[in-house]
Protein backbone atom coordinates (compact mmCIF):
# COMPACT_ATOMS: atom_id res chain seq x y z
CA UNK A 1 0.00 0.00 0.00
CA UNK A 2 1.26 3.42 -0.94
CA UNK A 3 2.01 5.52 2.12
CA UNK A 4 -0.12 8.56 2.78
CA UNK A 5 1.25 12.09 2.85
CA UNK A 6 3.33 12.95 5.90
CA UNK A 7 1.78 16.43 6.08
CA UNK A 8 -1.78 16.95 7.36
CA UNK A 9 -4.20 18.95 5.27
CA UNK A 10 -2.62 22.43 5.11
CA UNK A 11 -5.87 24.39 4.96
CA UNK A 12 -7.12 22.61 8.07
CA UNK A 13 -3.98 23.61 9.96
CA UNK A 14 -4.50 27.25 9.06
CA UNK A 15 -8.15 27.72 9.99
CA UNK A 16 -9.32 25.09 12.48
CA UNK A 17 -8.65 25.18 16.23
CA UNK A 18 -5.59 23.00 16.83
CA UNK A 19 -7.37 20.63 19.18
CA UNK A 20 -7.14 17.32 17.36
CA UNK A 21 -4.00 15.35 16.63
CA UNK A 22 -5.31 14.38 13.22
CA UNK A 23 -3.83 11.64 11.08
CA UNK A 24 -2.58 12.93 7.74
CA UNK A 25 -5.40 11.63 5.58
CA UNK A 26 -8.56 13.33 4.36
CA UNK A 27 -11.56 11.02 4.15
CA UNK A 28 -14.03 11.66 1.36
CA UNK A 29 -16.37 8.69 1.05
CA UNK A 30 -17.77 5.87 3.12
CA UNK A 31 -19.97 2.84 2.54
CA UNK A 32 -20.70 0.05 4.97
CA UNK A 33 -17.52 -0.80 6.88
CA UNK A 34 -15.20 0.94 4.41
CA UNK A 35 -14.00 4.51 3.85
CA UNK A 36 -11.88 6.08 1.12
CA UNK A 37 -9.47 9.01 1.36
CA UNK A 38 -8.92 11.90 -1.04
CA UNK A 39 -6.28 9.92 -2.92
CA UNK A 40 -8.58 6.94 -3.43
CA UNK A 41 -7.07 4.65 -0.79
CA UNK A 42 -9.51 2.26 0.87
CA UNK A 43 -9.66 1.47 4.59
CA UNK A 44 -11.59 -0.91 6.82
CA UNK A 45 -13.09 1.26 9.55
CA UNK A 46 -12.70 -0.34 12.98
CA UNK A 47 -13.56 2.91 14.77
CA UNK A 48 -16.91 3.84 13.16
CA UNK A 49 -16.55 7.51 14.01
CA UNK A 50 -15.98 6.47 17.65
CA UNK A 51 -18.94 4.07 17.88
CA UNK A 52 -21.27 6.30 15.87
CA UNK A 53 -21.70 4.59 12.50
CA UNK A 54 -23.22 1.48 14.06
CA UNK A 55 -25.29 0.68 10.94
CA UNK A 56 -22.34 1.38 8.65
CA UNK A 57 -21.37 4.40 6.58
CA UNK A 58 -24.01 5.94 4.32
CA UNK A 59 -26.59 3.19 4.68
CA UNK A 60 -28.85 3.63 1.61
CA UNK A 61 -32.04 3.64 3.69
CA UNK A 62 -30.69 6.27 6.05
CA UNK A 63 -29.46 8.41 3.16
CA UNK A 64 -32.91 8.26 1.57
CA UNK A 65 -34.72 9.04 4.85
CA UNK A 66 -32.54 12.11 5.43
CA UNK A 67 -33.01 13.26 1.84
CA UNK A 68 -36.79 12.81 2.01
CA UNK A 69 -37.10 14.60 5.34
CA UNK A 70 -34.80 17.46 4.30
CA UNK A 71 -37.11 18.11 1.36
CA UNK A 72 -40.13 18.29 3.67
CA UNK A 73 -39.20 19.89 7.01
CA UNK A 74 -35.82 20.23 8.70
CA UNK A 75 -36.16 22.60 11.65
CA UNK A 76 -39.04 24.25 13.48
CA UNK A 77 -37.82 24.91 17.07
CA UNK A 78 -39.43 23.33 20.09
CA UNK A 79 -42.31 25.78 20.21
CA UNK A 80 -44.01 23.25 17.94
CA UNK A 81 -44.27 19.50 17.69
CA UNK A 82 -43.30 17.30 14.76
CA UNK A 83 -44.32 13.75 13.98
CA UNK A 84 -40.76 12.34 13.84
CA UNK A 85 -39.96 13.75 17.29
CA UNK A 86 -43.12 12.31 18.85
CA UNK A 87 -42.55 8.92 17.21
CA UNK A 88 -38.92 8.78 18.34
CA UNK A 89 -39.86 9.71 21.91
CA UNK A 90 -42.41 6.90 21.94
CA UNK A 91 -39.83 4.47 20.56
CA UNK A 92 -37.16 5.41 23.12
CA UNK A 93 -39.59 5.25 26.03
CA UNK A 94 -40.46 1.70 24.97
CA UNK A 95 -36.85 0.64 24.38
CA UNK A 96 -35.51 2.02 27.67
CA UNK A 97 -38.36 1.04 29.96
CA UNK A 98 -38.58 4.67 31.10
CA UNK A 99 -41.30 7.31 30.75
CA UNK A 100 -40.25 10.51 28.97
CA UNK A 101 -37.61 11.68 26.48
CA UNK A 102 -35.81 14.96 25.86
CA UNK A 103 -33.76 15.52 22.71
CA UNK A 104 -30.52 17.38 22.18
CA UNK A 105 -27.63 17.30 19.70
CA UNK A 106 -24.76 15.37 21.28
CA UNK A 107 -23.63 13.13 24.08
CA UNK A 108 -22.22 15.94 26.18
CA UNK A 109 -25.54 17.77 25.95
CA UNK A 110 -27.33 14.60 27.02
CA UNK A 111 -25.07 14.39 30.07
CA UNK A 112 -25.72 18.06 30.89
CA UNK A 113 -29.45 17.38 30.68
CA UNK A 114 -29.09 14.35 32.92
CA UNK A 115 -27.07 16.31 35.49
CA UNK A 116 -29.53 19.21 35.54
CA UNK A 117 -32.51 16.86 35.83
CA UNK A 118 -30.88 14.97 38.69
CA UNK A 119 -29.95 18.11 40.58
CA UNK A 120 -33.45 19.53 40.21
CA UNK A 121 -34.92 16.27 41.45
CA UNK A 122 -32.53 16.36 44.38
CA UNK A 123 -33.63 19.90 45.24
CA UNK A 124 -37.27 18.81 45.33
CA UNK A 125 -36.26 16.15 47.86
CA UNK A 126 -34.19 18.54 50.00
CA UNK A 127 -30.93 16.82 49.07
CA UNK A 128 -27.62 18.70 49.27
CA UNK A 129 -25.16 15.90 48.51
CA UNK A 130 -23.09 15.18 45.42
CA UNK A 131 -23.51 13.28 42.19
CA UNK A 132 -21.08 10.39 42.47
CA UNK A 133 -19.08 9.35 39.41
CA UNK A 134 -16.42 6.73 38.73
CA UNK A 135 -12.65 6.81 38.37
CA UNK A 136 -11.78 6.41 34.71
CA UNK A 137 -15.08 7.80 33.50
CA UNK A 138 -15.62 10.07 30.51
CA UNK A 139 -18.91 11.89 29.99
CA UNK A 140 -17.97 14.63 27.51
CA UNK A 141 -16.07 17.91 27.33
CA UNK A 142 -18.51 20.58 28.49
CA UNK A 143 -17.71 22.18 31.82
CA UNK A 144 -20.31 20.11 33.62
CA UNK A 145 -19.12 16.89 32.00
CA UNK A 146 -15.45 17.45 32.80
CA UNK A 147 -16.35 18.46 36.36
CA UNK A 148 -17.77 14.96 36.68
CA UNK A 149 -14.82 13.31 34.92
CA UNK A 150 -11.09 12.77 34.84
CA UNK A 151 -8.62 15.25 36.31
CA UNK A 152 -6.62 15.38 33.05
CA UNK A 153 -9.56 17.01 31.25
CA UNK A 154 -10.05 19.55 34.05
CA UNK A 155 -6.55 21.02 33.97
CA UNK A 156 -6.56 24.66 32.91
CA UNK A 157 -10.33 25.03 33.16
CA UNK A 158 -10.68 25.47 36.91
CA UNK A 159 -12.69 26.19 38.93
CA UNK A 160 -14.77 23.11 38.32
CA UNK A 161 -18.46 22.97 39.09
CA UNK A 162 -18.99 21.74 42.65
CA UNK A 163 -21.21 18.84 43.60
CA UNK A 164 -19.31 15.83 42.24
CA UNK A 165 -17.38 13.07 43.98
CA UNK A 166 -15.45 10.17 42.43
CA UNK A 167 -14.94 6.63 43.66
CA UNK A 168 -13.25 3.55 42.11
CA UNK A 169 -15.28 1.79 39.41
CA UNK A 170 -16.60 -1.72 40.13
CA UNK A 171 -15.96 -1.27 43.87
CA UNK A 172 -19.30 -1.49 45.69
CA UNK A 173 -17.69 -1.15 49.13
CA UNK A 174 -16.09 2.18 48.20
CA UNK A 175 -19.37 3.39 46.75
CA UNK A 176 -21.43 2.30 49.75
CA UNK A 177 -19.16 4.27 52.09
CA UNK A 178 -19.94 7.60 50.40
CA UNK A 179 -23.66 7.16 49.60
CA UNK A 180 -26.30 8.37 52.03
CA UNK A 181 -29.76 9.94 51.95
CA UNK A 182 -28.29 13.29 50.84
CA UNK A 183 -26.65 11.83 47.70
CA UNK A 184 -28.36 13.12 44.57
CA UNK A 185 -27.29 10.55 41.98
CA UNK A 186 -24.77 7.95 40.90
CA UNK A 187 -23.62 8.35 37.29
CA UNK A 188 -21.67 5.69 35.39
CA UNK A 189 -21.05 4.17 31.99
CA UNK A 190 -22.21 0.59 31.58
CA UNK A 191 -18.97 0.07 29.66
CA UNK A 192 -16.29 2.71 30.15
CA UNK A 193 -15.19 3.73 26.67
CA UNK A 194 -12.41 6.34 26.96
CA UNK A 195 -11.44 4.62 30.20
CA UNK A 196 -10.24 1.59 28.24
CA UNK A 197 -13.34 -0.52 27.41
CA UNK A 198 -14.07 -1.58 30.98
CA UNK A 199 -17.51 -3.16 31.52
CA UNK A 200 -19.35 -2.85 34.80
CA UNK A 201 -19.34 -6.14 36.66
CA UNK A 202 -22.77 -7.75 36.75
CA UNK A 203 -23.17 -8.06 40.51
CA UNK A 204 -21.70 -4.60 40.96
CA UNK A 205 -24.30 -2.87 38.81
CA UNK A 206 -27.12 -4.80 40.44
CA UNK A 207 -25.82 -3.73 43.84
CA UNK A 208 -25.61 -0.10 42.66
CA UNK A 209 -29.27 -0.24 41.69
CA UNK A 210 -30.20 -1.59 45.14
CA UNK A 211 -28.10 1.08 46.85
CA UNK A 212 -29.87 3.79 44.85
CA UNK A 213 -33.28 2.39 45.79
CA UNK A 214 -32.33 2.28 49.46
CA UNK A 215 -31.39 5.97 49.62
CA UNK A 216 -33.70 7.42 46.91
CA UNK A 217 -30.62 8.16 44.81
CA UNK A 218 -31.03 8.50 41.05
CA UNK A 219 -29.10 6.06 38.88
CA UNK A 220 -27.84 7.79 35.72
CA UNK A 221 -26.54 5.41 33.06
CA UNK A 222 -24.37 6.84 30.28
CA UNK A 223 -25.05 4.69 27.20
CA UNK A 224 -23.66 7.23 24.75
CA UNK A 225 -20.89 4.97 23.45
CA UNK A 226 -22.08 1.51 24.47
CA UNK A 227 -25.75 1.89 23.56
CA UNK A 228 -27.75 1.34 20.34
CA UNK A 229 -26.96 -2.33 19.61
CA UNK A 230 -23.20 -1.95 20.12
CA UNK A 231 -22.87 -4.60 22.88
CA UNK A 232 -25.33 -7.17 21.58
CA UNK A 233 -28.30 -5.55 23.31
CA UNK A 234 -30.07 -2.39 22.24
CA UNK A 235 -28.90 -0.87 25.53
CA UNK A 236 -25.95 -2.30 27.42
CA UNK A 237 -27.70 -2.16 30.80
CA UNK A 238 -30.09 -4.85 29.52
CA UNK A 239 -27.25 -7.33 30.10
CA UNK A 240 -27.60 -6.64 33.83
CA UNK A 241 -31.34 -6.90 34.39
CA UNK A 242 -31.63 -3.38 35.81
CA UNK A 243 -33.38 -0.19 34.72
CA UNK A 244 -31.85 3.24 35.47
CA UNK A 245 -33.71 6.38 36.44
CA UNK A 246 -32.05 8.41 33.68
CA UNK A 247 -30.22 7.25 30.56
CA UNK A 248 -28.11 9.41 28.24
CA UNK A 249 -27.95 8.45 24.55
CA UNK A 250 -26.20 9.82 21.46
CA UNK A 251 -23.52 8.53 19.02
CA UNK A 252 -25.12 5.51 17.32
CA UNK A 253 -28.67 6.81 17.77
CA UNK A 254 -28.56 8.87 14.57
CA UNK A 255 -26.53 6.44 12.48
CA UNK A 256 -24.03 9.23 11.81
CA UNK A 257 -26.43 12.17 12.07
CA UNK A 258 -25.98 14.27 15.25
CA UNK A 259 -28.60 13.63 17.92
CA UNK A 260 -28.64 13.06 21.67
CA UNK A 261 -31.36 12.13 24.11
CA UNK A 262 -32.12 12.05 27.82
CA UNK A 263 -34.73 9.44 28.76
CA UNK A 264 -35.98 9.36 32.33
CA UNK A 265 -38.58 8.20 34.76
CA UNK A 266 -41.68 10.31 35.25
CA UNK A 267 -40.60 11.45 38.71
CA UNK A 268 -37.42 12.93 37.24
CA UNK A 269 -39.07 14.75 34.36
CA UNK A 270 -41.74 16.17 36.66
CA UNK A 271 -39.07 17.86 38.78
CA UNK A 272 -38.37 20.27 35.90
CA UNK A 273 -40.68 23.21 35.30
CA UNK A 274 -41.41 24.88 31.96
CA UNK A 275 -38.36 26.72 30.64
CA UNK A 276 -35.85 25.22 33.09
CA UNK A 277 -34.16 23.30 30.31
CA UNK A 278 -34.37 23.41 26.55
CA UNK A 279 -32.63 23.53 23.19
CA UNK A 280 -33.02 25.24 19.84
CA UNK A 281 -31.93 22.44 17.52
CA UNK A 282 -32.51 19.37 19.68
CA UNK A 283 -35.14 16.95 18.39
CA UNK A 284 -35.59 18.69 15.05
CA UNK A 285 -37.53 16.73 12.39
CA UNK A 286 -34.40 15.87 10.38
CA UNK A 287 -32.40 14.44 13.30
CA UNK A 288 -35.33 12.49 14.73
CA UNK A 289 -36.24 11.08 11.32
CA UNK A 290 -32.63 9.88 10.95
CA UNK A 291 -32.79 8.23 14.37
CA UNK A 292 -36.09 6.51 13.58
CA UNK A 293 -34.67 5.06 10.38
CA UNK A 294 -31.53 3.96 12.21
CA UNK A 295 -33.59 2.06 14.78
CA UNK A 296 -35.65 0.47 12.01
CA UNK A 297 -32.50 -0.67 10.20
CA UNK A 298 -31.12 -2.18 13.39
CA UNK A 299 -34.33 -4.14 13.85
CA UNK A 300 -34.81 -5.18 10.20
CA UNK A 301 -31.20 -6.27 9.71
CA UNK A 302 -31.02 -7.99 13.11
CA UNK A 303 -27.93 -6.03 14.04
CA UNK A 304 -28.34 -6.59 17.78
CA UNK A 305 -27.92 -10.33 17.31
CA UNK A 306 -25.12 -9.76 14.82
CA UNK A 307 -23.18 -7.63 17.31
CA UNK A 308 -23.59 -10.35 19.93
CA UNK A 309 -22.63 -13.29 17.71
CA UNK A 310 -19.79 -11.61 15.81
CA UNK A 311 -18.50 -9.97 18.96
CA UNK A 312 -18.32 -13.31 20.75
CA UNK A 313 -16.51 -14.88 17.78
CA UNK A 314 -14.08 -12.00 17.39
CA UNK A 315 -13.25 -11.82 21.08
CA UNK A 316 -12.60 -15.55 21.06
CA UNK A 317 -10.16 -15.10 18.16
CA UNK A 318 -8.46 -12.22 19.97
CA UNK A 319 -8.16 -14.20 23.21
CA UNK A 320 -6.70 -17.18 21.41
CA UNK A 321 -4.04 -14.86 20.00
CA UNK A 322 -3.47 -13.23 23.39
CA UNK A 323 -2.58 -16.60 24.91
CA UNK A 324 0.55 -16.70 22.77
CA UNK A 325 1.36 -12.97 22.60
CA UNK A 326 2.95 -11.45 25.71
CA UNK A 327 2.28 -7.93 24.41
CA UNK A 328 -1.45 -8.48 25.11
CA UNK A 329 -2.37 -8.21 28.78
CA UNK A 330 -6.18 -8.39 28.44
CA UNK A 331 -9.04 -8.68 25.96
CA UNK A 332 -12.39 -7.44 27.23
CA UNK A 333 -15.66 -5.92 26.17
CA UNK A 334 -19.19 -6.74 25.07
CA UNK A 335 -20.47 -7.43 21.58
CA UNK A 336 -18.57 -5.31 19.07
CA UNK A 337 -17.20 -2.96 21.73
CA UNK A 338 -13.82 -4.55 22.39
CA UNK A 339 -10.64 -3.47 24.12
CA UNK A 340 -7.27 -5.12 23.56
CA UNK A 341 -4.92 -3.99 26.33
CA UNK A 342 -1.25 -3.77 25.39
CA UNK A 343 1.82 -3.93 27.61
CA UNK A 344 3.07 -0.72 25.96
CA UNK A 345 1.51 2.51 24.58
CA UNK A 346 -0.72 1.91 21.59
CA UNK A 347 -0.21 5.05 19.51
CA UNK A 348 2.39 3.36 17.31
CA UNK A 349 0.09 0.41 16.70
CA UNK A 350 -2.69 2.75 15.57
CA UNK A 351 -0.37 4.42 13.06
CA UNK A 352 0.96 1.10 11.76
CA UNK A 353 -2.58 -0.16 11.25
CA UNK A 354 -3.42 2.99 9.32
CA UNK A 355 -0.58 2.16 6.95
CA UNK A 356 -2.13 -1.30 6.59
CA UNK A 357 -5.51 0.18 5.64
CA UNK A 358 -7.29 -0.12 8.99
CA UNK A 359 -8.72 2.79 11.01
CA UNK A 360 -8.41 2.19 14.75
CA UNK A 361 -7.97 4.12 17.97
CA UNK A 362 -6.25 3.76 21.33
CA UNK A 363 -8.12 4.52 24.55
CA UNK A 364 -6.57 5.17 27.95
CA UNK A 365 -3.06 5.11 26.49
CA UNK A 366 -2.62 1.40 25.82
CA UNK A 367 -5.99 -0.13 24.95
CA UNK A 368 -6.81 -0.72 21.30
CA UNK A 369 -10.47 0.28 20.97
CA UNK A 370 -12.25 -1.83 18.36
CA UNK A 371 -15.76 -0.55 17.64
CA UNK A 372 -16.40 -1.24 13.95
CA UNK A 373 -19.72 -0.76 12.16
CA UNK A 374 -21.92 -3.68 13.20
CA UNK A 375 -22.51 -4.88 9.60
CA UNK A 376 -18.76 -5.56 9.24
CA UNK A 377 -18.18 -9.01 7.71
CA UNK A 378 -16.23 -11.91 9.21
CA UNK A 379 -13.79 -11.51 6.31
CA UNK A 380 -13.21 -7.87 7.26
CA UNK A 381 -12.84 -8.78 10.94
CA UNK A 382 -10.27 -11.40 9.95
CA UNK A 383 -8.36 -8.77 7.95
CA UNK A 384 -8.52 -6.50 10.99
CA UNK A 385 -7.11 -9.24 13.21
CA UNK A 386 -4.27 -10.00 10.79
CA UNK A 387 -3.34 -6.30 10.60
CA UNK A 388 -3.51 -5.97 14.40
CA UNK A 389 -1.23 -8.96 14.91
CA UNK A 390 1.31 -7.57 12.44
CA UNK A 391 1.16 -4.05 13.89
CA UNK A 392 1.60 -5.25 17.48
CA UNK A 393 4.55 -7.45 16.49
CA UNK A 394 6.19 -4.60 14.58
CA UNK A 395 5.67 -2.11 17.40
CA UNK A 396 6.94 -4.56 20.03
CA UNK A 397 10.07 -5.12 17.96
CA UNK A 398 10.65 -1.40 17.53
CA UNK A 399 10.65 -0.66 21.27
CA UNK A 400 12.94 -3.46 22.39
Amino acid sequence: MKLFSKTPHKEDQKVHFELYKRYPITLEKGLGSRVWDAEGREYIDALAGIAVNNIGHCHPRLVKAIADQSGTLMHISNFYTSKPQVELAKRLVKLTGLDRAFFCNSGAEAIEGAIKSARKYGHTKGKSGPIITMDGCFHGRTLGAISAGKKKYQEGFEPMLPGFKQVPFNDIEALTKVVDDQTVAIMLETVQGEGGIVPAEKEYLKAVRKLCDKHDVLLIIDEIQCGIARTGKMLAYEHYGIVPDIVALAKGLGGGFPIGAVVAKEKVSKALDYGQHGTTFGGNPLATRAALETLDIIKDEKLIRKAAVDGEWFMSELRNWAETEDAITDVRGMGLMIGVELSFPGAGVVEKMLHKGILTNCASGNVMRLVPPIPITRLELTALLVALKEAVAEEKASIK
Side-chain angles (χ1 to χ4, degrees), residues 341-363:
E341 185 172 325
L342 306 174
S343 60
F344 47 77
V349 176
V350 173
E351 185 169 344
K352 286 176 173 60
M353 291 190 72
L354 186 61
H355 283 266
K356 298 174 186 293
I358 310 285
L359 303 187
T360 56
N361 170 257
C362 185

Side-chain angles (χ1 to χ4, degrees), residues 110-380:
I111 289 298
E112 291 286 343
I115 290 170
K116 283 183 68 177
S117 299
R119 283 196 172 180
K120 186 66 191 328
Y121 177 82
H123 277 243
T124 67
K125 296 292 184 176
K127 291 174 176 278
S128 58
I131 294 174
I132 298 171
T133 63
M134 305 298 140
D135 288 347
C137 72
F138 181 84
H139 298 292
R141 297 178 188 273
T142 59
L143 192 59
I146 65 172
S147 295
K150 293 181 180 179
K151 292 291 184 186
K152 65 178 274 189
Y153 295 113
Q154 298 176 0
E155 293 173 3
F157 300 102
E158 299 87 350
M160 290 294 104
L161 298 180
F164 296 98
K165 184 179 183 64
Q166 283 202 350
V167 297
F169 189 42
N170 278 326
D171 187 338
I172 194 62
E173 290 185 11
L175 183 60
T176 301
K177 287 178 182 178
V178 298
V179 172
D180 59 28
D181 291 344
Q182 288 297 308
T183 304
V184 170
I186 296 169
M187 182 164 69
L188 56 83
E189 301 153 271
T190 324
V191 182
Q192 289 191 339
E194 295 292 328
I197 315 298
V198 182
E201 294 171 0
K202 196 159 192 176
E203 293 309 312
Y204 168 78
L205 194 49
K206 287 183 175 181
V208 173
R209 177 70 272 182
K210 289 180 181 178
L211 188 62
C212 288
D213 292 339
K214 178 181 178 181
H215 294 282
D216 190 20
V217 171
L218 297 178
L219 176 56
I220 304 171
I221 297 286
D222 179 344
E223 290 263 340
I224 291 163
Q225 188 169 155
C226 60
I228 315 300
R230 172 58 56 190
T231 66
K233 296 284 188 182
M234 179 59 79
L235 299 162
Y237 64 74
E238 294 177 62
H239 290 282
Y240 299 82
I242 62 102
V243 177
D245 300 293
I246 305 173
V247 60
L249 301 170
K251 287 190 181 287
L253 180 59
F257 198 95
I259 186 170
V262 182
V263 194
K265 289 182 177 177
E266 183 79 7
K267 67 179 184 180
V268 177
S269 69
K270 288 299 183 185
L272 291 163
D273 296 325
Y274 288 108
Q276 290 192 323
H277 195 53
T279 171
T280 298
F281 289 107
N284 65 71
L286 188 55
T288 49
R289 181 69 188 86
L292 282 167
E293 190 64 31
T294 297
L295 295 176
D296 284 343
I297 291 166
I298 288 170
K299 180 181 178 182
D300 295 344
E301 298 187 2
K302 298 178 173 56
L303 294 184
I304 294 174
R305 175 170 170 73
K306 188 177 186 306
V309 172
D310 284 0
E312 183 178 8
W313 172 81
F314 193 43
M315 269 199 278
S316 177
E317 293 292 304
L318 288 164
R319 284 170 175 154
N320 288 340
W321 168 46
E323 289 179 1
T324 60
E325 176 52 78
D326 60 8
I328 309 300
T329 59
D330 195 19
V331 176
R332 55 182 179 261
M334 287 181 169
L336 283 172
M337 185 175 185
I338 300 171
V340 178
E341 185 172 325
L342 306 174
S343 60
F344 47 77
V349 176
V350 173
E351 185 169 344
K352 286 176 173 60
M353 291 190 72
L354 186 61
H355 283 266
K356 298 174 186 293
I358 310 285
L359 303 187
T360 56
N361 170 257
C362 185
S364 199
N366 67 327
V367 180
M368 298 301 296
R369 172 167 42 185
L370 306 177
V371 285
I374 297 170
I376 191 170
T377 66
R378 289 278 179 99
L379 190 62
E380 289 170 325

